[in-house]
Amino acid sequence: MVALMLGVTLVACGEEESLPKWVAGPLSGLLLECTEARQPAPKPTAMVDRADFDGDGAPDFVIDTARGCPAVRALYCSIDGCSIDVLASREASAFGLHIKARSWEVAERAGRKVLVVRRGGTDCATKSGATCVETWIWRDGEFVVDTSR
C-alpha cells in the first residue's frame, strides 16, 4: 500500500484526508516506513487527532506513532511509551511538542483543551517502569506542563 503526499492531501487505501502540508509531511514519512517494510499503512485519520490547544480557533494536530504499523511502532516506541507529536496551528513550521507517552487524551480544563499524558520511566523522573501523569497546556506560545494542580 502506498501513501502519497499530493499537495495537502494524503491518499491511502483509496480514501482522502485533507491535512495541512505541515502535518501531511511528517505523517507521510511514517506511512512510508510501513510501505518500505511491506506492511499495510493505516489510514491517515487513524494516526491523527485534532484539538484546538492554542485557542486560535484552528485545529492543532496530534500524530500518534502507537497507531502506526508494526514497523513504525518498532522505531518510535519503547518501554517508556510511543512518540507523539503535537503540531500547533500557530507554529506551522515546527513541532509544538514531541514526547513519549504510554497513553494520552485530550481533556478540557477551565474552558481550554489540554493534553493529559501518562509517561513512564526516566521521562517522569521515576524509576523505570513507573508511570506519572502530566497535563500539557499552551501558554505564552509554547506547550508547558501545568503545575497549577
Side-chain angles (χ1 to χ4, degrees), residues 34-97:
C34 300
T35 302
E36 289 179 348
R38 295 191 168 131
Q39 297 172 354
K43 295 177 186 177
T45 54
M47 291 184 67
V48 178
D49 280 325
R50 292 176 167 102
D52 183 13
F53 296 109
D54 60 12
D56 67 354
D60 305 310
F61 298 85
V62 181
I63 300 175
D64 187 351
T65 61
R67 299 178 188 171
C69 67
V72 167
R73 291 191 305 270
L75 287 170
Y76 297 98
C77 299
S78 69
I79 192 168
D80 290 333
C82 295
S83 295
I84 61 170
D85 292 307
V86 185
L87 296 100
S89 57
R90 292 184 187 185
E91 303 295 328
S93 63
F95 289 114
L97 179 64

Side-chain angles (χ1 to χ4, degrees), residues 65-144:
T65 61
R67 299 178 188 171
C69 67
V72 167
R73 291 191 305 270
L75 287 170
Y76 297 98
C77 299
S78 69
I79 192 168
D80 290 333
C82 295
S83 295
I84 61 170
D85 292 307
V86 185
L87 296 100
S89 57
R90 292 184 187 185
E91 303 295 328
S93 63
F95 289 114
L97 179 64
H98 175 84
I99 60 174
K100 290 266 189 176
R102 289 189 175 165
S103 65
W104 61 273
E105 65 184 337
V106 176
E108 191 163 320
R109 303 257 167 86
R112 298 176 60 187
K113 298 289 184 191
V114 299
L115 187 70
V116 180
V117 180
R118 283 156 199 79
R119 303 185 77 190
T122 56
D123 287 332
C124 55
T126 63
K127 62 183 178 182
S128 183
T131 301
C132 63
V133 177
E134 295 174 338
T135 300
W136 289 81
I137 61 170
W138 183 264
R139 180 183 296 144
D140 299 325
E142 66 181 343
F143 284 99
V144 296

Side-chain angles (χ1 to χ4, degrees), residues 7-28:
V8 294
T9 302
L10 282 178
V11 178
C13 305
E15 293 188 15
E16 293 187 4
E17 171 66 14
S18 181
L19 295 169
K21 192 182 309 184
W22 46 273
V23 177
L27 184 58
S28 67

